[in-house]
């Protein structure tokens, strides 16, 4: 494949944006990415989004967003549940790599807060198996609670052992102007937070929000300079959607396959990664992702949090801009936020949460409880 | 771009399939395409679908369908309203052309008949502009009715002048076992059919349905034999979603741009096309598509029907397997059905509706009332 690089990123603050439509939010991120890239148009547009049809009564987001951005270019929506952003980037990457276009814009966008929480909960459940899971009455957080409870039982962890994931995310988000939550939390806050679905508390779970992030990509050989960040690996994998269909429900098999493939593409080992934006929709997912990607043995993910290794100064910094937990989780946009954040780290633009001399960063975006996995590795170019 | 060829197609009958889930319908088409291609797996899967989130409470269709088909491969859903099928094929094509994979499956699927017609009408309206069109109370058929009424006024056509499009489609569908409707119609039937939204009658409109179609694609240079059909052009374009934002609402500007680009890619003229599977969601769209793609002057599309030129033996046969009008319009699947039908024509498999010595075929898939356009040209290879 023709190597591809990111030369522009844009993000909106994640918030309740009741006064703006989904197209306006998307276009704010696109304009920021265009300005950052120093470009005025692009060859094509891919929109990562999960639930605009359900929550915004709007499909056909491709031409809608393209038109509002002033771009008369081919544009489609890519959906892979909460992995939509990463999946959209992969489509953009293949469009550029195939030489179909010489540049592509990728925007992830979601507008979730206009509707009643019950409607949002039902919409989020469309990431799970409608016929065999949701039909039984379980919600998406309920499925993650089943995983977490079994994991605690199998490996002997207490609920408080997951606290460092949330505390670290909230601490880092304090320095990210785009983050949904600017609120430090303590172990006591974590333990006393409201129960959502046993054993998942409010502070185990990431907040929804309205937001968009965008990337501008080009063939790597057409650009030079310090803004150029190389995509040195792009890999996707899938697993069953339904938990009960998996032989090992406590191991993210697709995440493991996708990460191994990505390491091979980039020619690196997990130890070479300077920071890892993982998909911490719930604290349990942080543990499982770290294990699947080779940073911890099975059942040992929480140890990395307890030992402080996930902090900015640790051996494998995660959620350096707040992660899903505190930056926020506008689901179809999340994978693109992750990528924009890795780019900012590799450019050295992250101030107080800058990982020292970051050269290689990884992002892993997950759709459903491990069904869709998209892994990207970026390198300073 | 690395040239790409289609070596397998699969289709399900379009019908009310209340006893089967969306995954089962998709997998039937995938299995048929795999058998037709003589393959057992593929490098990746793209699912074209518009409204599974709304009508089937199911997003994350990529891994769902991949798992059910026994394929543990990267899989995502591509959405571009009723142009989703064509858009999914373009993603598959770029995946193969970029050398990311050496084969791809593309399936278009939609399951629409489980819900109340009011719900389906609301879901279809998500192809239009939610904030500026649908919010005013207009439905998707209503928007097309506005176009048709203005077109008749501007160019002086009577309603009956559109009848040949429907009559031809129904006549051809009689010989297509996958078609939704097997029912010949007459001019009298057309004129007496129930009014839907003036001037659109029931027989101007395509029927919804449950169905799936699939394609198996590979790099062209890896395969030989008469089953190989070359994709000699693939082009997409967008326009505003809202009709009132267009300078010329009676001309499909994006369709014209996409077709011109496709002709250039294939190195041909409109006169070289042996058959054209156009997007006849409503009879007015047949006229507009023929004009935009260079087969008729502005306002002259109906003439091709009245003169008999759209028939199998005519100068530009359209809807050779029934079109959206009679084969049926399971919206996200339609673009893939069109492609499968062009492949069948170029292979000479169409029996009584075979276009003699068909060598070059075109399909154009439309999302919204002209917002998303995807054009493909296929050649016997």
């Amino acid at each position: 494949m023709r190597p591809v690089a990111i030369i522009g990123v844009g993000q909106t603050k994640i918030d309740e944006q009741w006064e703006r439509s989904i197209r306006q939010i998307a276009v704010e991120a696109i304009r920021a990415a265009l300005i950052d890239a120093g470009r005025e148009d692009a060859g094509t547009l891919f929109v990562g989004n999960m639930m605009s049809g359900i929550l915004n009564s709007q499909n056909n987001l491709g031409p809608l967003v393209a038109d509002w951005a002033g771009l008369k270019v081919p544009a489609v929506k890519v959906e892979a549940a909460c992995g939509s952003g990463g999946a959209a980037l992969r489509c953009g990457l293949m469009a550029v790599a195939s030489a179909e276009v010489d540049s592509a814009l990728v925007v992830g966008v979601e507008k979730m807060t206009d509707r009643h929480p019950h409607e949002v909960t039902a919409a989020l459940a469309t990431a799970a198996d409608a016929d065999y899971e949701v039909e039984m009455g379980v919600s998406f957080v309920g499925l993650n609670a089943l995983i977490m409870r079994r994991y605690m039982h199998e490996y002997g962890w207490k609920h408080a052992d997951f606290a460092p994931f949330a505390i670290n995310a909230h601490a880092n988000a304090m320095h990210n102007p785009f983050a949904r939550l600017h609120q430090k939390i303590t172990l006591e806050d974590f333990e006393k937070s409201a129960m959502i679905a046993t054993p998942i508390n409010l502070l185990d779970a990431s907040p929804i929000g309205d937001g968009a992030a965008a990337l501008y990509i080009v063939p790597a050989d057409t650009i030079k300079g310090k803004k150029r960040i190389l995509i040195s690996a792009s890999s996707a994998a899938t697993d069953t959607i339904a938990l009960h269909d998996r032989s090992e429900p406590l191991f993210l098999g697709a995440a493991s396959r996708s990460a191994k493939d990505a390491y091979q593409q980039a020619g690196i080992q997990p130890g070479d990664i300077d920071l890892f934006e993982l998909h911490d929709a719930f604290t349990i997912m942080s543990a499982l992702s770290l294990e699947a990607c080779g940073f911890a043995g099975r059942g040992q993910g929480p140890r990395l949090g307890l030992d402080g290794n996930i902090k900015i100064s640790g051996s494998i910094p995660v959620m350096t801009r707040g992660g899903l937990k505190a930056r926020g989780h506008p689901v179809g946009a999340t994978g693109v936020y992750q990528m924009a954040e890795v780019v900012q780290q590799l450019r050295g633009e992250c101030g107080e949460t800058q990982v020292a001399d970051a050269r290689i960063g990884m992002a892993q975006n997950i759709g459903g409880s491990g069904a869709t996995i998209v892994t990207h590795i970026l390198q300073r170019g």
Side-chain angles (χ1 to χ4, degrees), chain A:
Chain A
M1 282 217 304
R2 180 162 78 150
V4 175
I6 299 172
I7 61 164
V9 302
Q11 300 170 70
T12 75
K13 177 163 167 47
I14 298 173
D15 216 330
E16 293 178 355
Q17 304 198 29
W18 295 357
E19 74 291 2
R20 302 203 302 161
S21 71
I22 191 168
R23 75 186 88 190
Q24 292 172 303
I25 297 170
V27 169
E28 180 185 328
I30 287 173
R31 297 308 306 169
L34 283 167
I35 290 167
D36 190 38
R39 301 289 180 109
E40 293 188 348
D41 52 24
T44 190
L45 170 70
F46 288 92
V47 182
N49 171 271
M50 175 181 169
M51 44 177 80
S52 70
I54 302 174
L55 296 182
N56 315 117
S57 301
Q58 184 70 69
N59 278 305
N60 221 357
L61 269 190
L64 186 88
V65 171
D67 176 41
W68 218 253
L71 303 164
K72 270 212 158 48
V73 297
V76 294
K77 165 175 158 176
V78 177
E79 188 270 319
C82 304
S84 299
L89 172 58
R90 266 180 66 74
C91 287
L93 186 143
M94 291 186 281
V96 172
S98 70
E100 172 69 12
V101 291
D102 284 324
S103 63
L105 268 164
V106 178
V107 64
V109 63
E110 204 83 55
K111 181 157 175 59
M112 308 172 71
T113 71
D114 289 354
R115 298 298 186 102
H116 190 283
H118 289 177
E119 292 177 280
V120 179
T121 299
L124 286 166
T126 62
D129 192 314
D131 297 334
Y132 296 100
E133 291 183 321
V134 185
E135 191 69 17
M136 303 300 136
V138 71
S139 67
F140 195 67
V141 59
L143 288 166
N144 281 274
L146 292 172
I147 300 173
M148 187 169 179
R149 181 187 277 271
R150 184 74 198 175
Y151 182 91
M152 290 165 70
H153 173 80
E154 289 288 336
Y155 297 113
W157 296 107
K158 303 186 306 292
H159 181 251
D161 295 331
F162 295 85
F165 293 123
I167 294 169
N168 172 63
H170 277 260
N172 290 341
M174 296 296 290
H175 308 285
N176 178 2
F178 302 113
R180 175 97 155 94
L181 303 177
H182 290 130
Q183 169 198 2
K184 276 206 168 187
I185 62 166
T186 65
L187 175 59
E188 193 184 355
D189 295 330
F190 183 80
E191 291 194 278
K192 288 189 173 168
S193 71
M195 183 61 68
I196 306 294
T198 324
I200 292 182
N201 280 8
L202 184 63
L203 288 178
D204 285 293
S206 57
I208 65 163
D210 308 330
L215 305 170
Y216 195 101
I217 60 176
V218 296
D221 58 9
T222 62
I223 194 89
K224 285 191 174 150
K226 77 187 179 78
K227 275 212 164 166
R228 184 181 86 152
I229 300 294
L230 293 173
I231 302 177
S232 53
S234 173
S235 175
T238 59
D239 203 338
T240 69
I241 285 200
L243 286 182
H244 57 254
D245 283 335
R246 295 193 198 150
S247 52
E248 296 182 278
L250 297 185
F251 185 69
L252 297 176
S256 172
R257 282 183 278 125
S258 175
K260 276 183 187 155
D261 179 35
Y263 296 145
Q264 192 170 16
Q265 285 181 38
I268 62 169
Q269 301 291 325
D272 298 321
I273 304 282
D274 295 313
L275 70 139
F276 179 22
E277 291 302 330
L278 55 75
H279 194 93
D280 57 322
F282 303 96
T283 51
I284 178 64
M285 292 306 284
S286 299
L288 295 184
S289 290
L290 286 164
E291 294 167 23
C293 296
F295 297 102
R298 291 202 191 188
Q300 298 309 308
R303 178 63 54 207
L304 289 168
L306 294 166
D307 290 349
N309 282 315
I310 61 168
K311 293 184 180 177
I312 296 295
S313 57
S315 62
I316 181 64
V318 301
M319 298 94 100
T320 68
R321 306 296 282 158
L324 282 62
K325 177 68 201 80
R327 172 241 295 135
H329 186 26
V331 293
T334 289
V336 185
Y337 272 99
Q338 291 177 316
M339 295 297 293
E341 291 162 355
V342 174
V343 167
Q344 290 184 305
Q345 284 284 1
L346 299 185
R347 285 186 188 168
E349 298 173 349
C350 292
E352 301 213 35
T353 59
Q354 179 64 46
V355 173
D357 194 33
R359 300 180 55 80
I360 302 178
M362 181 162 83
Q364 191 172 67
N365 191 200
I366 303 184
S369 33
T372 294
I373 305 284
V374 186
T375 311
H376 283 98
I377 296 175
L378 301 184
Q379 290 192 240
R380 264 195 339 223

